[in-house]
Amino acid sequence: MLGLTDRLRPDDAATIAALTDLTGGAPTLLTGDNERAAQQLAAQVGITDVRAGLLAEDKVAAVRAREREGRKVLVVGDGVNDAPVLAAAHTGIASVVRLSRTARRLVIQNLGIAGAFIAVLVAWDLIGTLPLPLGVVGHEGSTVIVGLNGLRLLREAAWTNPGRTPVSKRSRRTAAAASAPSAGAARCTVTVCRGCCCGTPKIPGLDHADQLRGLRQALDGTATVRVTDCLDACAHANVVVVQPSSAGRAAGGRPVWLGLVNDTEATADITAWIEQGGPGLADPPGILDLYGFTPSRRVRGQVES
């Protein structure tokens, strides 16, 4: 018999202990692995609450149960397979890791910028005569450039996965001026992928027919809901594409691709957003950013052309 198991990093146990001290609560392991393997892994890092054999929707349900108890939930996941449960939690560690990597790159860039300025100024002074005013301007100028470069961390893009497209990038001015579309405006179009993986038993734990029926009923008179064959984006099944109304497009809205829409809460968030106007006219719930992704140009052409 051949057995395979995950390998722990040397500092995993210490990390779990640090998180326990930081949050003041015992961690819970949510995994799709079998009970025996999960218990063995958890014992090595000091986790006693183990829930094994879970599907993606089971993990989401566990998080929402904690939230209903009034708790703030932090989830550590891989950011791909665990996207739904990361979206359901108050904080997803996958996003924090991306931000820390961005910060590290900026620190290295700033060191390079400052070092280059100092090297040029010192070389100039050694080779020739560096005027004092120019030296001050060069030194202080490098400080300003380093500061401005660091401010890039305040951009929305620094907090989102570069492989995903933030759902909303409208300006605050447009957001304040926009309102729900009038009855005479062309409506949003919601394209629901069905076939191959989307809407099939390959995505268990969800009543796919009920999801489609719910979208049509909730958006009746507000948006056009249509079904398309496989969009060749199976890694993101179920896929829902929200295209802006004519008014939304005029306000800068663009089609939004949402993947892993496999829980009723995500469907409800999408519906509420479209009822408020959809892309270009209303800010979506921030949680939908975790469902957004950027398909290839060929895949986009199947829906957006």
Side-chain angles (χ1 to χ4, degrees), residues 18 75 80 88 150 273 294:
V75 172
V80 179
W273 173 40
T294 303

Side-chain angles (χ1 to χ4, degrees), residues 54-66:
L54 302 182
L55 299 174
E57 58 269 20
D58 299 325
K59 297 178 182 179
V60 172
V63 168
R64 295 199 184 279
R66 292 287 180 90

Side-chain angles (χ1 to χ4, degrees), residues 45-290:
V45 294
I47 298 178
T48 57
D49 186 1
V50 179
R51 306 181 192 184
L54 302 182
L55 299 174
E57 58 269 20
D58 299 325
K59 297 178 182 179
V60 172
V63 168
R64 295 199 184 279
R66 292 287 180 90
E67 292 174 339
R68 285 193 295 270
E69 296 172 359
R71 302 185 185 183
K72 299 293 185 181
V73 182
L74 179 150
V75 172
V76 180
D78 63 13
V80 179
N81 295 324
D82 290 331
V85 69
L86 284 167
H90 290 91
T91 303
I93 290 296
S95 300
V96 176
V97 170
R98 287 194 297 272
L99 180 61
S100 67
R101 290 174 177 170
T102 302
R104 181 177 182 274
R105 287 197 299 270
L106 286 179
V107 168
I108 293 174
Q109 291 171 11
N110 286 342
L111 289 174
I113 293 171
F117 267 85
I118 296 300
V120 170
L121 294 176
V122 170
W124 190 344
D125 195 44
L126 291 176
I127 295 174
T129 301
L130 175 64
L132 180 59
L134 188 58
V136 172
V137 170
H139 183 273
E140 300 305 323
S142 67
T143 303
V144 172
I145 293 175
V146 165
L148 292 175
N149 193 42
L151 289 177
R152 291 168 56 196
L153 283 175
L154 299 180
R155 297 181 308 158
E156 181 183 6
W159 294 80
T160 56
N161 188 334
R164 295 177 180 270
T165 301
V167 174
S168 176
K169 285 191 175 181
R170 299 185 302 113
S171 68
R172 293 188 181 275
R173 180 175 56 83
T174 302
S179 59
S182 63
R187 302 185 295 183
C188 292
T189 299
V190 181
T191 302
V192 182
C193 179
R194 287 292 182 263
C196 188
C197 293
C198 294
T200 72
K202 293 181 181 179
I203 309 298
L206 177 66
D207 188 331
H208 301 284
D210 184 67
Q211 181 188 50
L212 181 58
R213 183 167 52 251
L215 281 170
R216 283 175 166 161
Q217 291 176 351
L219 297 175
D220 184 30
T222 303
T224 300
V225 179
R226 66 181 185 180
V227 176
T228 184
D229 291 333
C230 180
L231 291 173
D232 196 19
C234 294
H236 302 279
N238 288 333
V239 174
V240 175
V241 185
V242 182
Q243 293 175 266
S245 63
S246 57
R249 190 174 293 277
R254 294 292 180 266
V256 175
W257 288 69
L258 302 169
L260 301 173
V261 185
N262 302 326
D263 60 271
T264 55
E265 288 81 7
T267 306
D269 287 336
I270 294 170
T271 299
W273 173 40
I274 295 172
E275 288 175 338
Q276 293 171 6
L281 295 179
D283 283 325
I287 198 171
L288 288 184
D289 281 347
L290 289 175

